[in-house]
């Protein structure tokens, strides 16, 4: 039992922390946001250079064979910087689908391009009606002699407007909420019949609503079993939650330190406001929530590779419940302790709050995961 | 980063489990599980069983177990889960580390073996009517008179003082300096003339704490631990130890198991409480916080060898703060579970003997007292507010 990073993981952490210290101050971020894509292509190239885009993929496909702890390390640093680039969408989400579902040929075709930064991907798993249920899929895939044809609408596709290719979930059999009959299709973003409406999200990132009208997909673009891909999707979603928990912890760390620094510098009534006990206790509440969340993000990262699906899902859901709770507690208190300045776009704290609040809305909020955890019997089994 | 314990650690856990199964009287286990009151002899018997195995933290030369922090954690977890902890052992856990760290050879030789064998029952004479959270303002005076101190004053909230043979006591030996600098640490024989103990009834109906009056009590100067007027340092050291082992993860886990078992046989609306989504989710919300605390505690345990002692103390404040909150949450869950048969009141004596016929389900009688009693968790051993003051200062630098 230990909570230490390995030497390689520590090197990784150092290099990512250095990268964001040098290239991702709050002012940098603001300028990247004004770029055409809404993020920095130059940073994307730096991620590629550092090997971050290749991190979780197998070495034989041009990756570094990193695991959940490596991803946690990177995501935590990215959470501190509030990065805008579609790392989560490309590497964690679509990359996860490829790792678990793609054929050797597909991996050889796609992964090297991700790794060198020349291809971005998105994962269109959600639909307007699906809320947090991954199996709630209305989009239809119908089979013909040449392949499949997709029809339907996908919602909240992270990085949907910038992606070169989009992994789409579509139903090949059964009713909207059946767990069987769901397939994964790797669709070219420029495919005929695919229309995207890109938009900004509350946290300054980008997403898209996508409509599919008779979009043709060849057999070679099907990932995994077209009638039984939910297990892959669930697995990727669990890894996504673990990664988001780490990103949230990065946000929390910054909110905590920025707030305590503010308490040490801001003066009112002729003294530093950090000398007021009522504010000190609020700051302690933030710290306790941060430590509890950090513990659970580590727990999720260590458990997400667990083969026993029940154990894995329990752990991941528990972590997301904790993160959701802390996002509110830390977000609200850190804004409150700043007072009016905390409400401005000009100041950083609100941006961390907003990202944390949006993380809570991705891949299931606290209520959703508490329900799932309860349905799985909770964390502790009776005797 | 790895959650798995080593093979040696797992073997150690199995060894502890086996020892508890073979040595803890089954009657004591049952009473603890069901929340009965224990008699002094049961408490002593239980403490003796645990101390025989080895005392965590103590250096080996004084009969310590010589365990690693991880082994200590495993031991504590198993003891709490069994359950086998009959009482908080003020002797082994609190005064002994002060004696072997700051005491002289004569004191070590006399007290440590007696503490290990639970020959004496110890109580903690810290709080006073005017010195609760502001402990350093204590006023019990000890005035030197030849080879004796003459002790005059009053202690309060002293746990189990009615059973105690000895009290470790903070006394004021110099009233003319800054309040922290005039305090000494004395060991007082509870049979000394001039000591009166009056148990206080708490809201759960029990008498777990006492007032202790000291009227001209003569204490030999050889019972001073360490240096005169350095007692506050020893007390701070002691309180850090107290908090470090206070996060009751094992107790809370065992309680949640019990809640699930009881909910499965408690009827509600034609079904069972365990099948109600709202109740299950409420339990799960506590389980999540408990898991987070367990992980936080494991992080502290894993880092323990590398930590500076100051940081360790502050981390133990986080564990105490959150641990008491979660312990209280589990008591609340039990209260929500029990339903109307929480109402019948049983006296402390009835809860100790267990020979009064049940009213309603047998297990229901213990729930309300446990709930009332749980409110003390965020008050004793440094209230939650004091813990927050410590964290604000020591970790946040405010």
């Amino acid at each position: 039992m230990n909570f230490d990073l390995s030497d390689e993981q520590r090197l990784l952490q150092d290099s990512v922390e250095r990268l964001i210290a040098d290239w991702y101050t709050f002012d940098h971020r603001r300028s990247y946001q004004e770029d055409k894509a809404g993020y920095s292509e130059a940073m994307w190239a730096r991620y590629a250079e550092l090997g971050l885009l290749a991190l979780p993929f197998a070495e034989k496909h041009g990756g570094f064979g990193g695991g959940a702890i490596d991803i946690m390390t990177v995501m935590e640093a990215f959470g501190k910087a509030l990065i805008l680039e579609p790392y989560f969408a490309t590497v964690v989400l679509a990359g996860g689908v490829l790792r678990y579902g793609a054929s050797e040929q597909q991996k050889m075709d796609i992964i090297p391009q991700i790794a060198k930064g020349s291809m971005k991907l998105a994962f269109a798993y959600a639909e307007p009606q699906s809320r947090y249920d991954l199996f709630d899929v209305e989009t239809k895939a119908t089979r013909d002699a040449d392949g499949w044809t997709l029809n339907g609408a996908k919602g909240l596709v992270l990085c949907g407007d910038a992606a070169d290719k989009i992994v789409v979930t579509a139903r090949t059999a059964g009713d909207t909420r059946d767990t069987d009959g769901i397939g994964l299709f790797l669709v070219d973003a420029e495919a005929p019949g695919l229309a995207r409406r890109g938009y900004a999200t509350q946290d300054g990132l980008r997403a898209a609503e996508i409509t599919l009208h008779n979009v043709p997909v060849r057999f070679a673009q099907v990932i995994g079993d077209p009638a039984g891909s939910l297990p892959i999707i669930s697995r990727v979603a669990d890894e996504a939650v673990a990664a988001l928990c780490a990103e949230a912890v990065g946000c929390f760390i910054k909110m905590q330190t920025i707030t305590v620094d503010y308490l040490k510098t801001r003066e009112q009534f002729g003294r530093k406001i950090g000398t007021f006990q009522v504010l000190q206790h609020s700051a302690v509440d933030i710290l306790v929530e941060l430590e509890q969340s950090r513990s659970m993000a580590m727990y999720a990262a260590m458990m997400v590779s667990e083969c026993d699906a029940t154990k894995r899902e329990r752990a991941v859901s528990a972590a997301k419940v904790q993160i959701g709770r802390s996002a509110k507690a830390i977000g609200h208190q850190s804004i409150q302790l700043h007072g009016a300045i905390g409400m401005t776009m000009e100041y950083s704290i609100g941006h961390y709050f907003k990202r944390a609040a949006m993380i809570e809305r991705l891949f299931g909020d606290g209520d959703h995961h508490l329900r799932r955890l309860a349905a799985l019997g909770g964390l502790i089994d009776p005797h | 980063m790895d959650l798995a314990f080593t093979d040696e650690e797992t073997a150690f856990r199995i060894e502890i489990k086996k020892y508890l199964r073979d040595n803890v009287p089954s009657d004591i286990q049952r009473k603890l599980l069901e929340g009965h009151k224990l008699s002094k002899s049961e408490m002593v018997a239980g403490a003796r069983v645990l101390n025989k195995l080895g005392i965590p933290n103590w250096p080996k030369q004084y009969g310590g177990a010589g365990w690693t922090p991880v082994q200590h954690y495993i031991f504590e977890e198993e003891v709490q889960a069994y359950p086998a902890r009959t009482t908080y052992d003020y002797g082994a856990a609190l005064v002994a580390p002060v004696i072997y760290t700051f005491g002289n050879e004569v004191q070590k030789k006399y007290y440590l073996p007696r503490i290990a064998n639970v020959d004496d029952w110890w109580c903690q004479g810290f709080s006073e009517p005017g010195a609760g959270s502001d402990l350093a303002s204590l006023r019990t005076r000890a005035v030197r008179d030849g080879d004796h101190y003459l002790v005059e004053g009053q202690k309060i909230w002293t746990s189990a003082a009615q059973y105690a043979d000895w009290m470790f006591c903070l006394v004021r030996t110099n009233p003319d300096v800054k309040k922290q600098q005039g305090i000494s640490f004395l060991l007082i024989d509870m049979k000394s003339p001039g000591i009166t103990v009056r148990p206080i009834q708490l809201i759960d109906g029990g008498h777990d704490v006492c007032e202790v009056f000291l009227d001209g009590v003569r204490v030999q100067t050889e019972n001073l631990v360490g240096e005169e007027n350095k007692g506050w340092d020893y007390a701070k050291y002691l309180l850090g130890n107290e908090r470090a082992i206070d996060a009751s993860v094992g107790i809370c886990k065992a309680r949640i198991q019990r809640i699930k078992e009881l909910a499965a046989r408690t009827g509600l609306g034609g079904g069972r409480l365990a099948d109600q989504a709202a109740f299950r989710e409420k339990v799960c919300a506590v389980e999540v916080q408990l898991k987070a605390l367990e992980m936080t505690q494991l992080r502290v345990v894993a880092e323990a060898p590398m930590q500076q002692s100051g940081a360790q103390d502050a981390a133990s404040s986080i564990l105490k703060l959150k641990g008491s909150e979660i312990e209280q949450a589990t008591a609340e869950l039990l209260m929500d579970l029990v339903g109307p048969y929480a109402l019948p009141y049983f006296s402390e004596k009835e809860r100790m003997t267990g020979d009064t016929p049940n009213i309603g389900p047998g297990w229901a009688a213990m729930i309300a007292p446990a709930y009332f009693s749980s409110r003390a968790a965020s008050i004793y051993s440094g209230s939650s507010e004091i813990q927050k003051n410590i964290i604000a200062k020591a970790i946040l630098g405010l």
Side-chain angles (χ1 to χ4, degrees), chain B residues 73-221:
Chain B
Y73 173 84
I74 291 171
F75 167 76
E76 201 54 50
E77 189 175 53
E78 289 303 325
V79 166
Q80 291 181 19
Y82 189 72
R85 167 97 45 227
T86 53
T87 176
Y88 191 81
D89 187 345
Y90 283 86
L94 295 186
V95 73
V98 173
I99 291 174
Y100 64 63
T101 309
F102 305 106
N104 60 39
E105 288 309 313
V106 179
Q107 289 167 338
K108 290 180 203 173
K109 222 173 182 153
Y110 177 74
Y111 291 108
L112 295 178
R114 295 183 64 82
I115 290 172
N117 197 41
V118 204
D119 291 335
D120 301 318
W121 187 276
W122 285 82
C123 66
Q124 178 182 39
F126 277 23
S127 295
E128 295 182 6
S133 287
D134 181 14
L135 182 60
S137 71
L138 58 93
R139 281 161 51 184
T140 294
R141 286 288 310 274
V143 180
R144 213 157 172 152
D145 176 22
D147 58 356
H148 281 79
Y149 287 103
L150 211 56
V151 182
E152 192 77 42
Q154 186 198 338
K155 295 291 171 180
I156 196 168
W157 317 127
T158 317
S159 293
Q162 68 268 52
Y163 303 137
D165 305 299
W166 284 87
M167 172 164 70
F168 53 95
C169 193
L170 294 181
V171 293
R172 185 155 304 284
T173 37
N174 186 349
D176 302 324
V177 289
K178 199 170 157 239
K179 61 185 178 180
Q180 287 85 356
Q181 286 162 6
I183 294 171
S184 297
F185 196 103
L186 282 187
L187 308 178
I188 301 180
D189 186 341
M190 291 295 279
K191 290 182 289 293
S192 311
I195 293 183
T196 314
V197 176
R198 191 183 76 84
I200 302 169
Q201 191 172 30
L202 296 181
I203 53 174
D204 68 336
H207 296 78
D208 290 343
V209 297
C210 302
E211 286 178 291
V212 179
F213 299 92
L214 301 126
D215 296 314
V217 178
R218 289 178 71 79
V219 180
Q220 289 181 313
T221 48

Side-chain angles (χ1 to χ4, degrees), chain B residues 326-369:
Chain B
I326 294 169
E327 195 186 324
Q328 291 171 338
T330 59
E332 278 175 60
L333 287 174
L334 275 169
M335 200 60 174
D336 293 342
L337 172 117
V338 65
Y341 271 102
L343 267 73
Y345 173 78
F346 295 88
S347 71
E348 185 177 33
K349 193 157 166 282
E350 288 171 313
R351 285 194 281 140
M352 213 180 276
T353 55
D355 52 15
T356 310
N358 292 339
I359 304 174
W363 52 270
M366 309 303 164
I367 305 293

Side-chain angles (χ1 to χ4, degrees), chain B residues 279-336:
Chain B
F279 184 77
R280 292 163 61 120
E281 285 170 25
K282 203 154 66 168
V283 176
C284 278
V286 178
E287 284 181 71
V288 169
Q289 292 202 61
L290 179 59
K291 175 56 81 177
L293 182 72
E294 183 185 2
M295 286 297 124
T296 304
Q297 191 174 33
L298 282 170
R299 283 169 53 205
V300 171
V301 169
E303 286 166 15
M306 284 95 73
Q307 288 271 4
Q308 305 264 318
S309 73
Q312 188 72 9
D313 289 351
S316 67
S317 286
I318 292 184
L319 296 177
K320 159 72 168 70
L321 186 61
K322 205 64 206 175
S324 58
E325 204 180 285
I326 294 169
E327 195 186 324
Q328 291 171 338
T330 59
E332 278 175 60
L333 287 174
L334 275 169
M335 200 60 174
D336 293 342

Side-chain angles (χ1 to χ4, degrees), chain A residues 1 281 291 295 374 379-380, chain B residues 4 260 280 287 296 299 389:
Chain A
M1 192 267 310
H281 286 195
E291 291 306 327
S295 292
L379 290 162
I380 299 168
Chain B
K260 289 183 175 181
R280 292 163 61 120
E287 284 181 71
T296 304
R299 283 169 53 205
N389 289 350

Side-chain angles (χ1 to χ4, degrees), chain A residues 1-4 256 264 277 281 284-285 291-292 294-295 299 318 325 371 374 377 379-381 383, chain B residues 1-2 4 257 260-261 280-281 284 287-289 291-293 295-296 299 322 388-389 396-397:
Chain A
M1 192 267 310
N2 78 83
F3 292 83
D4 303 328
Q256 194 265 329
K264 286 178 182 171
Q277 191 182 45
H281 286 195
V284 170
D285 291 340
E291 291 306 327
Q292 292 283 83
R294 205 199 294 258
S295 292
Y299 181 59
R325 179 195 140 100
R371 272 196 298 277
L379 290 162
I380 299 168
D381 289 318
H383 278 299
Chain B
M1 209 173 280
D2 187 4
Q257 285 182 324
K260 289 183 175 181
E261 283 153 18
R280 292 163 61 120
E281 285 170 25
C284 278
E287 284 181 71
V288 169
Q289 292 202 61
K291 175 56 81 177
L293 182 72
M295 286 297 124
T296 304
R299 283 169 53 205
K322 205 64 206 175
K388 288 185 181 183
N389 289 350
L396 300 180

